[in-house]
Amino acid sequence: MILIDGTYSEYTGPKTLDYPGGCAIDTSTDEGFDGTEYKARWHNDVIGAFHAVFVAAFGDINKVTNRPDNVRDSDFLRALMQRIKVQTDVAKKVLDVNGAETVVSWEELEALYFADRHYAAFAGFNGKFANFLPIRAWVESDGVHVFMRYQKADGTVVEGTPAVKWNTRKWGTYKWGQQMFVSVNIIVKEVFE
């Protein structure tokens, strides 16, 4: 994909919010040579569509390679595949969490966060944990927050994960009084209005 600037053609207009990768300008008359030989509206529609997919996928027009696309190397195809991936799931991860609230960073999820997008986080147990209540999960700019609660034998609801009891785990895997780790599946999806 290329950026439409002075290196491509002298008949380009300034970068705008609608065309951050540049735009073409029309000739002043039908016979003139002071603008693109194509109608700028058509030209900008095609290039603008490519750039829109790229910015939606990667969040920044400056990541365009500025080389013409071909079947072996295509910015547009990379952007399209990224959007398909994001459309299905932003992130999928199995993690061990402990305590009441765990924040799983976007880096740890190997995903990108965009403040102007909407997300839904889903968390479930990776295994059988009978005494636990359903996991609450939500998205913030620092990552996915996972909140754990369990129910004691007397019916009391306690935030977090239970402390490891003496002689219930292999020696050296936990410190005295440490809360146990629970394996959790996390899925993050983008929500569209």
Side-chain angles (χ1 to χ4, degrees):
M1 183 179 307
I2 58 173
L3 300 172
I4 307 304
D5 58 19
T7 60
Y8 170 74
S9 167
E10 60 189 82
Y11 307 123
T12 58
K15 294 178 181 180
T16 65
L17 288 176
D18 290 334
Y19 295 100
C23 64
I25 57 171
D26 278 324
T27 57
S28 56
T29 65
D30 287 343
E31 293 82 28
F33 295 101
D34 59 342
T36 180
E37 61 271 18
Y38 298 106
K39 288 288 187 189
R41 193 164 168 246
W42 170 85
H43 188 271
N44 292 338
D45 188 47
V46 172
I47 299 300
F50 289 153
H51 288 178
V53 172
F54 193 89
V55 170
F58 300 113
D60 190 353
I61 195 69
N62 295 322
K63 295 178 182 177
V64 168
T65 62
N66 207 19
R67 295 187 305 262
D69 282 15
N70 61 56
V71 295
R72 289 176 284 137
D73 182 22
S74 171
D75 285 332
F76 180 72
L77 181 58
R78 273 190 293 282
L80 194 58
M81 298 306 287
Q82 176 68 15
R83 285 305 297 157
I84 290 169
K85 177 182 170 190
V86 168
Q87 181 73 17
T88 54
D89 291 317
V90 175
K92 290 181 186 176
K93 199 80 167 179
V94 178
L95 295 168
D96 290 332
V97 301
N98 75 333
E101 185 175 339
T102 301
V103 179
V104 185
S105 71
W106 291 104
E107 183 177 61
E108 192 173 356
L109 289 168
E110 300 172 11
L112 296 173
Y113 172 80
F114 298 95
D116 61 340
R117 297 184 185 169
H118 304 282
Y119 302 93
F122 304 91
F125 296 104
N126 187 23
K128 185 177 179 182
F129 297 93
N131 295 339
F132 281 89
L133 297 173
I135 302 169
R136 293 191 292 189
W138 64 93
V139 170
E140 292 186 19
S141 61
D142 60 346
V144 174
H145 292 244
V146 178
F147 191 79
M148 306 293 292
R149 297 173 299 152
Y150 71 97
Q151 190 170 18
K152 293 168 76 171
D154 65 1
T156 307
V157 174
V158 180
E159 293 181 354
T161 57
V164 176
K165 294 182 181 166
W166 180 259
N167 210 21
T168 60
R169 295 287 189 263
K170 184 179 174 185
W171 178 259
T173 57
Y174 284 91
K175 294 179 181 173
W176 175 255
Q178 182 179 1
Q179 291 183 314
M180 67 181 280
F181 282 92
V182 176
S183 185
V184 173
N185 301 315
I186 298 172
I187 299 174
V188 182
K189 292 183 175 285
E190 187 175 349
V191 180
F192 297 92
E193 297 177 3

